[in-house]
Each structure stands twice: as structure tokens, then as C-alpha cells.
């Protein structure tokens, strides 16, 4: 999932950039809270319901891209709906890890915070345009998804470890790019789309780190 319909341009004024940063990160925090609510409510759901949650969350993302230039209220509503739905979708996975290895969940959470803070700050501060890198990383992400599908049917030595490490490399770059977009965006109305992208970075990094921390104990 990705939301890239955010125009890049010259940096905003300091006050405007600060307003956009605060609003975007506030939306990220609320979305994360709603994700937690969805994950709690769906903790006993069967895995097939999780797939329906993913589909519904993807529809919300598509709706956000359509609504972004028309209604900020609708875009924010879809963002919050996305948070709940993606929480429901990942609830079975999180419930499994929480019962099998709760320490790995806390470790992954702490490591995710450091990861996002580090690469987010680097992206926000850099003056080099990361757009070309982001295009490469997008196709790398598609390749990684295909690799993950292959590992379902073909036994690849250390396949899960390779997938997680490559995924973290990709999302390191995407996190930096999304925070650069946050600094360079010229429209405060892009806050919900930026929040969705940053939240997806956080979620994917968390899940990848969770698989690493849990796998290290197997």
C-alpha cells in the first residue's frame, strides 16, 4: 500500500512547515491509536477475516487519494477508518506473536520508534531530492512482495530473514522520502495523505522487526 499523490516543491515557510509537521504527526498518532483499537477488537478473528480487513483498508487508501483535493474532512475520516481496518486485518498476526513471544512485541516496538526517528530525521533534514531513490525503492518493494509470494510455495534457505532484512532496507529509504515530502509539501491539505504513508512505514517496519526478533529465538 502506498499514497504518493503529494506534490513536492520548494520548502514552505518555517511556520507553515511546522504547522504541517504538527498536523501530520498528530494524524499519525490518532491513526496508530485507532489501529490499536482495531487490533484489540479483532484479536479473536479468524485469519480469513483479516484478508477482508486488508481489502477494506486498501479501498480506504484509494478513497483518500480521490477525496484529498475535494474534502479534507472525508479524507481524514477515511484515514481513521483505514487505521481501524488495518488493525483488524493484522490482529490475528499480532495476537499470535503476543501469545507466543510477548517480549518480541515490545522489542520490535522500541526498535521501530528508533528506526523511524532516525531515518525520518535524516529524510527531513536532507537537501538532496530523494524522488529518484523512491521510484527505485517502489519497484524494489514490488520485487520483495513477489519474493515473499515465492517463499510461500518454494523452500528458500533463510527466506524469512532475507525478506525481513531487505524490507527494512527498502523502508529505511521510503521513510526518509516520506519525511522529505513532509518538509517539502506546499499544501496543508496533504497532511492526511502524508500521515497515511508515514503510518504505513511504521507498521511495515514494526512487522518486519517483529519477525526478526521472534525468529531470533526459534
Amino acid at each position: 500500500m502506498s499514497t504518493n499523490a503529494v506534490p513536492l516543491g520548494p520548502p514552505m515557510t518555517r511556520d507553515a512547515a511546522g504547522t504541517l509537521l504538527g498536523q501530520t504527526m498528530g494524524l499519525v498518532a490518532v491513526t496508530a491509536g485507532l489501529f490499536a483499537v482495531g487490533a484489540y477488537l479483532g484479536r479473536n478473528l479468524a485469519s480469513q477475516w483479516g484478508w477482508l480487513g486488508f481489502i477494506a483498508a486498501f479501498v480506504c487508501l484509494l478513497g483518500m487519494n480521490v477525496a484529498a483535493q475535494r474534502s479534507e474532512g472525508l479524507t481524514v475520516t477515511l484515514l481513521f477508518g483505514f487505521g481501524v481496518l488495518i488493525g483488524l486485518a493484522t490482529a490475528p498476526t499480532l495476537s499470535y506473536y503476543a501469545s507466543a513471544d510477548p517480549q518480541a512485541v515490545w522489542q520490535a516496538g522500541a526498535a521501530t520508534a528508533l528506526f523511524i526517528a532516525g531515518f525520518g530525521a535524516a529524510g527531513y533534514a536532507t537537501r538532496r531530492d530523494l524522488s529518484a531513490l523512491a521510484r527505485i525503492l517502489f519497484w524494489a518493494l514490488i520485487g520483495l512482495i513477489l519474493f515473499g509470494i515465492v517463499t510461500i510455495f518454494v523452500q528458500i534457505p533463510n527466506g524469512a530473514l532475507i525478506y525481513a532484512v531487505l524490507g527494512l532496507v527498502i523502508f529505511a529509504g521510503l521513510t526518509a522520502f516520506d519525511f522529505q515530502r513532509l518538509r517539502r509539501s506546499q499544501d496543508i491539505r496533504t497532511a492526511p495523505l502524508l500521515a497515511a504513508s508515514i503510518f504505513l512505514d511504521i507498521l511495515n517496519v514494526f512487522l518486519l522487526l517483529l519477525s526478526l526478533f521472534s525468529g531470533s529465538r526459534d
Side-chain angles (χ1 to χ4, degrees), residues 35-145:
F35 167 84
V37 171
Y40 177 79
L41 294 175
R43 64 193 184 281
N44 295 319
L45 287 179
S47 58
Q48 58 265 32
W49 289 105
W51 284 107
L52 291 177
F54 275 117
I55 294 171
F58 182 72
V59 170
C60 284
L61 282 183
L62 293 178
M64 286 180 63
N65 282 284
V66 174
Q69 299 300 322
R70 302 179 183 179
S71 172
E72 183 177 2
L74 176 58
T75 308
V76 171
T77 299
L78 289 170
L79 173 64
F80 292 164
F82 166 76
V84 174
L85 289 168
I86 202 67
L88 289 170
T90 56
T93 299
L94 296 178
S95 180
Y96 166 77
Y97 281 114
S99 60
D101 193 354
Q103 185 178 358
V105 177
W106 294 110
Q107 290 177 333
T112 299
L114 294 174
F115 185 101
I116 297 297
F119 288 103
Y124 197 84
T126 187
R127 299 295 174 180
R128 180 182 179 184
D129 188 353
L130 300 178
S131 299
L133 175 63
R135 286 190 290 270
I136 295 172
L137 291 175
F138 171 78
W139 290 109
L141 181 59
I142 297 298
L144 182 68
I145 292 171

